[in-house]
Amino acid sequence: KAGVTQTPRYLIKTRGQQVTLSCSPISGHRSVSWYQQTPGQGLQFLFEYFSETQRNKGNFPGRFSGRQFSNSRSEMNVSTLELGDSALYLCASSLASGQETQYFGPGTRLLVL
Amino acid sequence: DQQVKQNSPSLSVQEGRISILNCDYTNSMFDYFLWYKKYPAEGPTFLISISSIKDKNEDGRFTVFLNKSAKHLSLHIVPSQPGDSAVYFCAASAKWSGGSNYKLTFGKGTLLTVNP
C-alpha cells in the first residue's frame, strides 16, 4: 500500500504571497491532519479533516486554511505569507477520526523570503 | 503551555546498550500515547503506542512504559543499533467528551545517537 504523499516537496515563496500544499492519504484512510514543524516550536497541530469536514483546529491564525475532497485528498492554504511561516508542513492520515495512529507523509519544506 | 515535554534534547549511547527516552505530560485527559522516529528530510514514522489502560507495550526491540500517576512515559530500545539514530518524538492524545476532537500533541523531540 502506498504511503502518504505530499506535493510539492520543496517550495520557495516571498512575503505576501499565498501557497497551496497537497496531501494524498493512504488508500482507505479518511482522516487527514496537518502539522507545522519548526526548530523552535516542534510539531504543532494545524487542523484535521474527516469526511470533507474540519473536525478540529489548532491555534493558528485564519491565514491557515484547508479543505478535504470526496476522495479524502486534502489541501492546505496559507495566505499572505510571513517569514515565520517558513517550516516543514506535515500531513498525516488515519483510518478514522479518533484515537487512531496517524501515518505521516514526507512533508513540504516551505521557505518564505 | 507545553503539555508534552521531552526534557533531554539529545542522548548518546553505545551500540548494543539500552537507550531510554523519557517523556512527561501535564494534561490528565491524555489517554493515548505514541512514539515516532524521524530522520532528516522525512516525515515521522510511527514506532509504538500505548493506551492509558496499560502500563507496558512491547514490540520487538521497543518497549514503552507508562506511569499514569507520575504522568511519565519512556521508550526503551534494546539493543540499540546505529540505524536507530534519529529524532524521537513522544505524542499524546485525548478524546474530549462530547465529540471526537482528535489531535496529537507532540514533545519537541530527543536526538538519539547510537555510536558503533
Side-chain angles (χ1 to χ4, degrees):
Chain A
K1 217 182 231 186
V4 178
T5 57
Q6 292 187 246
T7 56
R9 291 294 310 275
Y10 303 94
L11 207 48
I12 299 176
K13 291 284 188 179
T14 56
R15 278 187 304 172
Q17 287 188 307
Q18 76 162 17
V19 67
T20 299
L21 312 180
S22 180
C23 170
S24 292
I26 292 170
S27 178
H29 284 195
R30 295 172 60 196
S31 173
V32 173
S33 297
W34 288 89
Y35 295 84
Q36 180 196 65
Q37 185 186 15
T38 57
Q41 297 298 320
L43 274 150
Q44 291 190 293
F45 173 78
L46 280 155
F47 29 66
E48 184 217 359
Y49 285 87
F50 178 74
S51 294
E52 302 176 63
T53 302
Q54 188 180 88
R55 300 297 296 270
N56 197 8
K57 191 175 190 305
N59 297 322
F60 279 82
R63 299 185 297 108
F64 291 82
S65 63
R67 59 178 176 168
Q68 187 180 33
F69 302 93
S70 58
N71 62 358
S72 295
R73 189 178 71 85
S74 178
E75 287 183 348
M76 189 192 94
N77 186 75
V78 188
S79 62
T80 321
L81 283 166
E82 300 177 0
L83 296 178
D85 296 333
S86 295
L88 180 67
Y89 289 89
L90 291 158
C91 162
S93 77
S94 60
L95 277 169
S97 182
Q99 281 188 343
E100 298 285 343
T101 299
Q102 295 185 345
Y103 297 88
F104 284 82
T108 295
R109 174 74 63 185
L110 172 65
L111 177 61
V112 181
L113 301 175
Chain B
D1 174 24
Q2 201 180 340
Q3 299 185 62
V4 178
K5 297 179 186 177
Q6 293 177 257
N7 292 320
S8 298
S10 62
L11 174 68
S12 184
V13 301
Q14 284 300 121
E15 181 178 5
R17 307 293 289 267
I18 184 171
S19 294
I20 300 176
L21 298 116
N22 293 303
C23 178
D24 297 295
Y25 61 95
T26 58
N27 189 341
S28 57
M29 297 294 288
F30 286 148
D31 56 7
Y32 188 62
F33 305 89
L34 308 92
W35 284 94
Y36 284 85
K37 177 170 76 172
K38 188 179 184 301
Y39 294 117
E42 293 183 14
T45 303
F46 169 72
L47 269 177
I48 192 168
S49 62
I50 188 167
S51 166
S52 60
I53 62 173
K54 297 176 130 183
D55 54 20
K56 177 183 173 182
N57 190 25
E58 196 169 352
D59 184 3
R61 296 186 297 115
F62 302 91
T63 303
V64 56
F65 295 92
L66 175 63
N67 182 334
K68 288 188 291 293
S69 60
K71 293 193 178 67
H72 176 84
L73 65 154
S74 61
L75 175 69
H76 292 210
I77 307 173
V78 183
S80 302
Q81 299 172 355
D84 295 330
S85 298
V87 177
Y88 287 78
F89 289 96
C90 166
S93 73
K95 225 177 190 171
W96 286 276
S97 60
S100 58
N101 292 329
Y102 174 69
K103 67 174 185 179
L104 290 178
T105 301
F106 282 84
K108 293 196 175 181
T110 296
L111 173 62
L112 172 65
T113 303
V114 180
N115 301 304

